[in-house]
Amino acid sequence: MPKSKIVVAGKNQCAVDIHKYLVNNYPKHEIIGVCNSDDDVNDGWQPSFKKYLLKNRYTEYRLNNCYDLEDMLFFSVEFDKIIKTENFKSKKLFNLHFSLLPKYRGCHTNFFQLYNGEKYSGVTLHEMDNSIDGGPIISQMKYKIRKNDTGQDNYIKLMKTAVKLFKSRIEDITYDNYKSKPQNEELAGKYYDRNSANYKELRQFKIEKYDLETHNKLRALIFPAFQHPIVNGKEVKRSLYKNGKFICEYV
């Protein structure tokens, strides 16, 4: 029997698109939005989830309003709060995490995947437990990172992949027709907390040798909505690998 309430908690275009999909395809369910604490109802480089909910008169809850909902599916997509499962009557709590778990648990996952030169990225749909991003995995969607993609490019791709993955599994989840498997702790890498990346410090470079490692670090920091890296005193708009050579394009 499908659950009667589906909660989408998060931010940005991915939260908006998932909520829209549910509204359009699951009319018998009550679709509820929970916004991040810093959502100020103003669109920036990404749409405000709260503004979208208010404009369309959709139901919005605070997180604690969800605790007593028994017939509920809860989906976190870029949500800013750590979920304590013991607070919820429902145990159908899921997260769309922006990495191929068990690698890159925690924060700044998009940045560190590029910064460390990973060849592949993707999104993991997993059950939530009281660990951080350590719950059993339901499904993953993987793609190859293009050599010249920036931090902003890859974040947009992660959001689109999250929506695609959600659409592919939501029907099974509503009917409780899915399996999950524990994460392999032997494959888990470093956990990144909120303080793992100080972008103001990391964006400053003094470069003598421009190689693949430098290229990866630069493109990870190229996120025009927030910052550009600075190389030898100049802001870098694009770091490119082309015809066997590395090229910096400056702002």
Side-chain angles (χ1 to χ4, degrees):
M1 185 74 178
K3 301 286 182 180
S4 66
K5 293 180 177 65
I6 305 178
V7 176
V8 180
K11 67 176 182 177
N12 294 347
Q13 191 68 57
C14 47
V16 171
D17 286 349
I18 286 172
H19 191 281
K20 282 183 180 179
Y21 181 80
L22 290 169
V23 168
N24 291 332
N25 292 277
Y26 291 85
K28 294 183 179 180
H29 295 68
E30 182 182 359
I31 313 302
I32 298 164
V34 177
C35 302
N36 283 17
S37 57
D38 61 353
D39 193 327
D40 62 2
V41 203
N42 291 306
D43 293 333
W45 84 281
Q46 284 290 299
S48 159
F49 187 35
K50 183 182 285 286
K51 180 179 178 180
Y52 155 79
L53 294 172
L54 290 171
K55 181 180 178 181
N56 293 283
R57 298 182 179 179
Y58 293 136
T59 303
E60 181 190 354
Y61 279 8
R62 293 182 181 274
L63 180 62
N64 59 4
N65 298 137
C66 301
Y67 292 162
D68 291 331
L69 302 179
E70 294 185 33
D71 56 341
M72 175 193 70
L73 300 174
F74 183 97
F75 291 91
S76 169
V77 53
E78 290 290 82
F79 192 47
D80 63 349
K81 293 181 177 63
I82 294 173
I83 299 301
K84 296 180 179 180
T85 59
E86 66 271 17
N87 291 335
F88 292 82
K89 286 187 176 179
S90 171
K91 299 308 172 187
K92 296 297 182 179
L93 312 174
F94 308 93
N95 184 35
L96 286 154
H97 182 74
F98 284 12
S99 81
L100 297 170
L101 291 171
K103 295 183 73 175
Y104 294 98
R105 292 172 177 167
C107 306
H108 310 290
T109 57
N110 170 52
F111 166 72
F112 278 113
Q113 288 172 80
L114 270 65
Y115 193 83
N116 293 337
E118 296 289 348
K119 293 182 178 179
Y120 294 92
S121 184
V123 177
T124 302
L125 173 62
H126 68 94
E127 296 175 304
M128 285 194 278
D129 56 20
N130 279 334
S131 66
I132 298 177
D133 304 322
I137 293 173
I138 297 169
S139 189
Q140 292 182 315
M141 200 166 279
K142 177 180 178 181
Y143 62 84
K144 189 171 184 177
I145 300 173
R146 295 190 300 180
K147 197 172 289 290
N148 290 322
D149 274 357
T150 66
Q152 186 160 310
D153 294 332
N154 197 59
Y155 184 76
I156 291 169
K157 191 172 290 186
L158 284 166
M159 286 196 294
K160 290 179 178 179
T161 302
V163 175
K164 187 176 179 181
L165 177 58
F166 176 85
K167 290 178 179 179
S168 74
R169 297 312 307 267
I170 181 60
E171 187 75 2
D172 292 335
I173 290 173
T174 57
Y175 283 94
D176 206 23
N177 183 30
Y178 67 91
K179 294 180 181 179
S180 63
K181 61 179 181 179
Q183 295 187 33
N184 185 344
E185 293 300 322
E186 292 183 2
L187 299 178
K190 179 180 178 181
Y191 167 75
Y192 296 95
D193 64 24
R194 294 184 189 276
N195 298 317
S196 296
N198 184 328
Y199 296 114
K200 187 175 181 180
E201 292 181 1
L202 287 168
R203 66 191 287 251
Q204 299 285 344
F205 288 83
K206 288 184 179 180
I207 293 176
E208 295 179 3
K209 182 182 178 182
Y210 192 3
D211 54 14
L212 180 59
E213 182 179 349
T214 303
H215 169 67
N216 287 331
K217 289 179 178 179
L218 289 174
R219 69 194 182 109
L221 286 156
I222 296 172
F223 210 117
F226 298 107
Q227 85 270 320
H228 291 94
I230 298 173
V231 174
N232 302 332
K234 295 181 180 179
E235 278 195 291
V236 175
K237 178 172 66 176
R238 201 88 181 173
S239 178
L240 300 170
Y241 177 73
K242 190 175 181 180
N243 299 325
K245 295 181 179 180
F246 296 101
I247 304 166
C248 259
E249 293 183 354
Y250 296 99
V251 175

